[in-house]
Amino acid sequence: YYKWFILAARFRQCKICLIVHDVEFLRYHSNEKQAEIEMLNMADRVIVHTEAMKLALKQMGVKADMTVLNLFDYCTDSRLPNKLEFSKTVAFAGNLEKSPFLKKLIAKEHNILYRLYGKNNPFDLDDKSNVEYCGGFLPEQVDSLQASWGLVWDGDSLETCAGITGDYLRYNSPHKLSQYIAAGIPVIVWEDSAVAKFVISYNLGICVKNLNLLDKILNSIQQEQYDQIVASVQTMSCRLRNGSMLKEAIKKDLGIKLIDNHNDLNC
């Protein structure tokens, strides 16, 4: 169906621009690699998550021009917090059952309070004073996230992001990253992830190599440094809420200079 659709669009002299949600052969190492590459090459332009994804697709045979998005926009009317308290409270939002590293994280003694957000809780937390299950929430209700930090991690290890899902962080820009930033919450990302450089460049949070070191790293952060990160996150939050990342990617493609000025923190 897709190929016929593209042919019909070309017959009408349309320009074809694809926006990548996920690349399955990068995500799960599926055997659909050649079919996906052929689909991508039918486009005039492909909007990809990160520079790392762009490079990987190029090396694997994607010849279409590619534009990097960096972060997905996030539509929400939830208000940004007026004041975010500096603490060692860390949120993790997502599919808890598909995040095996959490089992190891919960088993450790930490001086960090972890708040888990998701539809189902697969863990026994009765004797865990430093872990709270906070339930699920509608995607647009990001003000349900109550924490000083949002964790972006995947795989089955605390030492690194390992396994198939962990390895995918080398290429993608995760949904939860945009969710935390839309909520105005600074992020904690794996230092080898594709988004690490972007996070540091825009002062959106911190990068860590190993979750076992997180307590020590958070202890080293001063209130002033945290406040500066929060201010940067709120500015980026307004951009995501206004659809600026996709607008910018499309306008670059059209050769239009984008002037984007979002100073209203209640946007």
Side-chain angles (χ1 to χ4, degrees), residues 132-150:
E132 295 178 358
Y133 173 63
C134 302
F137 58 89
L138 294 174
E140 62 272 18
Q141 294 176 345
V142 293
D143 52 353
S144 298
L145 289 165
Q146 299 293 317
S148 297
W149 304 90

PDB file of all heavy atoms in Angstrom, residues 132-150:
ATOM      1  N   GLU A 132       8.625   4.818  45.206  1.00  0.00           N
ATOM      2  CA  GLU A 132       7.177   5.025  45.256  1.00  0.00           C
ATOM      3  C   GLU A 132       6.570   4.714  43.888  1.00  0.00           C
ATOM      4  O   GLU A 132       7.109   5.151  42.865  1.00  0.00           O
ATOM      5  CB  GLU A 132       6.844   6.485  45.606  1.00  0.00           C
ATOM      6  CG  GLU A 132       7.271   6.916  46.992  1.00  0.00           C
ATOM      7  CD  GLU A 132       6.960   8.388  47.247  1.00  0.00           C
ATOM      8  OE1 GLU A 132       6.452   9.064  46.314  1.00  0.00           O
ATOM      9  OE2 GLU A 132       7.229   8.859  48.364  1.00  0.00           O
ATOM     10  N   TYR A 133       5.476   3.959  43.878  1.00  0.00           N
ATOM     11  CA  TYR A 133       4.728   3.755  42.650  1.00  0.00           C
ATOM     12  C   TYR A 133       3.618   4.792  42.606  1.00  0.00           C
ATOM     13  O   TYR A 133       2.779   4.872  43.502  1.00  0.00           O
ATOM     14  CB  TYR A 133       4.144   2.350  42.594  1.00  0.00           C
ATOM     15  CG  TYR A 133       3.218   2.158  41.413  1.00  0.00           C
ATOM     16  CD1 TYR A 133       3.697   2.272  40.104  1.00  0.00           C
ATOM     17  CD2 TYR A 133       1.860   1.894  41.602  1.00  0.00           C
ATOM     18  CE1 TYR A 133       2.842   2.117  39.018  1.00  0.00           C
ATOM     19  CE2 TYR A 133       1.004   1.731  40.519  1.00  0.00           C
ATOM     20  CZ  TYR A 133       1.498   1.845  39.233  1.00  0.00           C
ATOM     21  OH  TYR A 133       0.663   1.702  38.150  1.00  0.00           O
ATOM     22  N   CYS A 134       3.610   5.610  41.549  1.00  0.00           N
ATOM     23  CA  CYS A 134       2.696   6.752  41.474  1.00  0.00           C
ATOM     24  C   CYS A 134       1.582   6.572  40.452  1.00  0.00           C
ATOM     25  O   CYS A 134       0.802   7.502  40.212  1.00  0.00           O
ATOM     26  CB  CYS A 134       3.488   8.019  41.152  1.00  0.00           C
ATOM     27  SG  CYS A 134       4.784   8.393  42.349  1.00  0.00           S
ATOM     28  N   GLY A 135       1.497   5.392  39.841  1.00  0.00           N
ATOM     29  CA  GLY A 135       0.419   5.123  38.902  1.00  0.00           C
ATOM     30  C   GLY A 135       0.652   5.730  37.532  1.00  0.00           C
ATOM     31  O   GLY A 135       1.697   6.310  37.241  1.00  0.00           O
ATOM     32  N   GLY A 136      -0.358   5.590  36.679  1.00  0.00           N
ATOM     33  CA  GLY A 136      -0.276   6.134  35.324  1.00  0.00           C
ATOM     34  C   GLY A 136      -0.977   7.480  35.236  1.00  0.00           C
ATOM     35  O   GLY A 136      -1.638   7.922  36.180  1.00  0.00           O
ATOM     36  N   PHE A 137      -0.835   8.123  34.090  1.00  0.00           N
ATOM     37  CA  PHE A 137      -1.523   9.390  33.844  1.00  0.00           C
ATOM     38  C   PHE A 137      -1.691   9.563  32.342  1.00  0.00           C
ATOM     39  O   PHE A 137      -0.971   8.950  31.549  1.00  0.00           O
ATOM     40  CB  PHE A 137      -0.762  10.580  34.455  1.00  0.00           C
ATOM     41  CG  PHE A 137       0.655  10.727  33.960  1.00  0.00           C
ATOM     42  CD1 PHE A 137       0.956  11.483  32.835  1.00  0.00           C
ATOM     43  CD2 PHE A 137       1.715  10.110  34.630  1.00  0.00           C
ATOM     44  CE1 PHE A 137       2.255  11.614  32.379  1.00  0.00           C
ATOM     45  CE2 PHE A 137       3.023  10.244  34.192  1.00  0.00           C
ATOM     46  CZ  PHE A 137       3.301  11.002  33.052  1.00  0.00           C
ATOM     47  N   LEU A 138      -2.647  10.383  31.943  1.00  0.00           N
ATOM     48  CA  LEU A 138      -2.843  10.654  30.526  1.00  0.00           C
ATOM     49  C   LEU A 138      -1.611  11.372  29.978  1.00  0.00           C
ATOM     50  O   LEU A 138      -1.029  12.220  30.665  1.00  0.00           O
ATOM     51  CB  LEU A 138      -4.090  11.513  30.318  1.00  0.00           C
ATOM     52  CG  LEU A 138      -5.420  10.847  30.672  1.00  0.00           C
ATOM     53  CD1 LEU A 138      -6.557  11.846  30.553  1.00  0.00           C
ATOM     54  CD2 LEU A 138      -5.673   9.635  29.784  1.00  0.00           C
ATOM     55  N   PRO A 139      -1.193  11.074  28.758  1.00  0.00           N
ATOM     56  CA  PRO A 139       0.048  11.635  28.222  1.00  0.00           C
ATOM     57  C   PRO A 139       0.134  13.160  28.277  1.00  0.00           C
ATOM     58  O   PRO A 139       1.206  13.718  28.492  1.00  0.00           O
ATOM     59  CB  PRO A 139       0.057  11.140  26.771  1.00  0.00           C
ATOM     60  CG  PRO A 139      -0.743   9.894  26.794  1.00  0.00           C
ATOM     61  CD  PRO A 139      -1.811  10.111  27.819  1.00  0.00           C
ATOM     62  N   GLU A 140      -1.021  13.843  28.090  1.00  0.00           N
ATOM     63  CA  GLU A 140      -0.982  15.309  28.086  1.00  0.00           C
ATOM     64  C   GLU A 140      -0.929  15.902  29.496  1.00  0.00           C
ATOM     65  O   GLU A 140      -0.667  17.093  29.662  1.00  0.00           O
ATOM     66  CB  GLU A 140      -2.175  15.878  27.321  1.00  0.00           C
ATOM     67  CG  GLU A 140      -3.536  15.543  27.903  1.00  0.00           C
ATOM     68  CD  GLU A 140      -4.116  14.238  27.403  1.00  0.00           C
ATOM     69  OE1 GLU A 140      -3.346  13.415  26.873  1.00  0.00           O
ATOM     70  OE2 GLU A 140      -5.342  14.043  27.560  1.00  0.00           O
ATOM     71  N   GLN A 141      -1.153  15.072  30.515  1.00  0.00           N
ATOM     72  CA  GLN A 141      -1.158  15.579  31.893  1.00  0.00           C
ATOM     73  C   GLN A 141       0.225  15.439  32.522  1.00  0.00           C
ATOM     74  O   GLN A 141       0.415  14.779  33.546  1.00  0.00           O
ATOM     75  CB  GLN A 141      -2.204  14.825  32.715  1.00  0.00           C
ATOM     76  CG  GLN A 141      -3.627  15.085  32.257  1.00  0.00           C
ATOM     77  CD  GLN A 141      -4.658  14.271  33.007  1.00  0.00           C
ATOM     78  OE1 GLN A 141      -4.343  13.296  33.687  1.00  0.00           O
ATOM     79  NE2 GLN A 141      -5.913  14.667  32.887  1.00  0.00           N
ATOM     80  N   VAL A 142       1.195  16.110  31.926  1.00  0.00           N
ATOM     81  CA  VAL A 142       2.578  15.947  32.378  1.00  0.00           C
ATOM     82  C   VAL A 142       2.828  16.583  33.742  1.00  0.00           C
ATOM     83  O   VAL A 142       3.846  16.305  34.385  1.00  0.00           O
ATOM     84  CB  VAL A 142       3.581  16.507  31.342  1.00  0.00           C
ATOM     85  CG1 VAL A 142       3.569  15.676  30.086  1.00  0.00           C
ATOM     86  CG2 VAL A 142       3.292  17.979  31.032  1.00  0.00           C
ATOM     87  N   ASP A 143       1.908  17.429  34.209  1.00  0.00           N
ATOM     88  CA  ASP A 143       2.077  17.998  35.545  1.00  0.00           C
ATOM     89  C   ASP A 143       1.858  16.935  36.633  1.00  0.00           C
ATOM     90  O   ASP A 143       2.082  17.210  37.821  1.00  0.00           O
ATOM     91  CB  ASP A 143       1.156  19.199  35.769  1.00  0.00           C
ATOM     92  CG  ASP A 143      -0.302  18.901  35.450  1.00  0.00           C
ATOM     93  OD1 ASP A 143      -0.596  17.803  34.924  1.00  0.00           O
ATOM     94  OD2 ASP A 143      -1.147  19.769  35.714  1.00  0.00           O
ATOM     95  N   SER A 144       1.461  15.722  36.231  1.00  0.00           N
ATOM     96  CA  SER A 144       1.378  14.607  37.185  1.00  0.00           C
ATOM     97  C   SER A 144       2.762  14.160  37.636  1.00  0.00           C
ATOM     98  O   SER A 144       2.910  13.539  38.694  1.00  0.00           O
ATOM     99  CB  SER A 144       0.647  13.410  36.544  1.00  0.00           C
ATOM    100  OG  SER A 144      -0.674  13.750  36.207  1.00  0.00           O
ATOM    101  N   LEU A 145       3.772  14.453  36.839  1.00  0.00           N
ATOM    102  CA  LEU A 145       5.151  14.098  37.192  1.00  0.00           C
ATOM    103  C   LEU A 145       5.653  15.039  38.281  1.00  0.00           C
ATOM    104  O   LEU A 145       5.768  16.244  38.072  1.00  0.00           O
ATOM    105  CB  LEU A 145       6.056  14.196  35.960  1.00  0.00           C
ATOM    106  CG  LEU A 145       5.862  13.133  34.882  1.00  0.00           C
ATOM    107  CD1 LEU A 145       6.536  13.556  33.584  1.00  0.00           C
ATOM    108  CD2 LEU A 145       6.421  11.787  35.350  1.00  0.00           C
ATOM    109  N   GLN A 146       5.935  14.482  39.441  1.00  0.00           N
ATOM    110  CA  GLN A 146       6.398  15.271  40.577  1.00  0.00           C
ATOM    111  C   GLN A 146       7.786  14.776  40.977  1.00  0.00           C
ATOM    112  O   GLN A 146       7.925  13.776  41.670  1.00  0.00           O
ATOM    113  CB  GLN A 146       5.420  15.137  41.746  1.00  0.00           C
ATOM    114  CG  GLN A 146       4.020  15.628  41.448  1.00  0.00           C
ATOM    115  CD  GLN A 146       3.968  17.126  41.227  1.00  0.00           C
ATOM    116  OE1 GLN A 146       4.584  17.895  41.959  1.00  0.00           O
ATOM    117  NE2 GLN A 146       3.232  17.555  40.214  1.00  0.00           N
ATOM    118  N   ALA A 147       8.800  15.471  40.507  1.00  0.00           N
ATOM    119  CA  ALA A 147      10.177  15.062  40.783  1.00  0.00           C
ATOM    120  C   ALA A 147      11.113  16.203  40.409  1.00  0.00           C
ATOM    121  O   ALA A 147      10.720  17.158  39.728  1.00  0.00           O
ATOM    122  CB  ALA A 147      10.541  13.804  40.006  1.00  0.00           C
ATOM    123  N   SER A 148      12.342  16.102  40.865  1.00  0.00           N
ATOM    124  CA  SER A 148      13.362  17.093  40.506  1.00  0.00           C
ATOM    125  C   SER A 148      14.124  16.694  39.251  1.00  0.00           C
ATOM    126  O   SER A 148      14.785  17.527  38.636  1.00  0.00           O
ATOM    127  CB  SER A 148      14.354  17.265  41.666  1.00  0.00           C
ATOM    128  OG  SER A 148      13.703  17.760  42.814  1.00  0.00           O
ATOM    129  N   TRP A 149      14.039  15.391  38.903  1.00  0.00           N
ATOM    130  CA  TRP A 149      14.760  14.873  37.744  1.00  0.00           C
ATOM    131  C   TRP A 149      13.911  13.820  37.052  1.00  0.00           C
ATOM    132  O   TRP A 149      13.087  13.168  37.690  1.00  0.00           O
ATOM    133  CB  TRP A 149      16.089  14.225  38.167  1.00  0.00           C
ATOM    134  CG  TRP A 149      17.016  15.110  38.945  1.00  0.00           C
ATOM    135  CD1 TRP A 149      17.059  15.247  40.310  1.00  0.00           C
ATOM    136  CD2 TRP A 149      18.001  15.989  38.418  1.00  0.00           C
ATOM    137  NE1 TRP A 149      18.029  16.152  40.664  1.00  0.00           N
ATOM    138  CE2 TRP A 149      18.629  16.628  39.520  1.00  0.00           C
ATOM    139  CE3 TRP A 149      18.442  16.293  37.134  1.00  0.00           C
ATOM    140  CZ2 TRP A 149      19.654  17.558  39.359  1.00  0.00           C
ATOM    141  CZ3 TRP A 149      19.457  17.215  36.974  1.00  0.00           C
ATOM    142  CH2 TRP A 149      20.054  17.842  38.069  1.00  0.00           C
ATOM    143  N   GLY A 150      14.126  13.641  35.757  1.00  0.00           N
ATOM    144  CA  GLY A 150      13.491  12.578  34.997  1.00  0.00           C
ATOM    145  C   GLY A 150      14.557  11.678  34.397  1.00  0.00           C
ATOM    146  O   GLY A 150      15.491  12.161  33.739  1.00  0.00           O
TER     147      GLY A 150
END
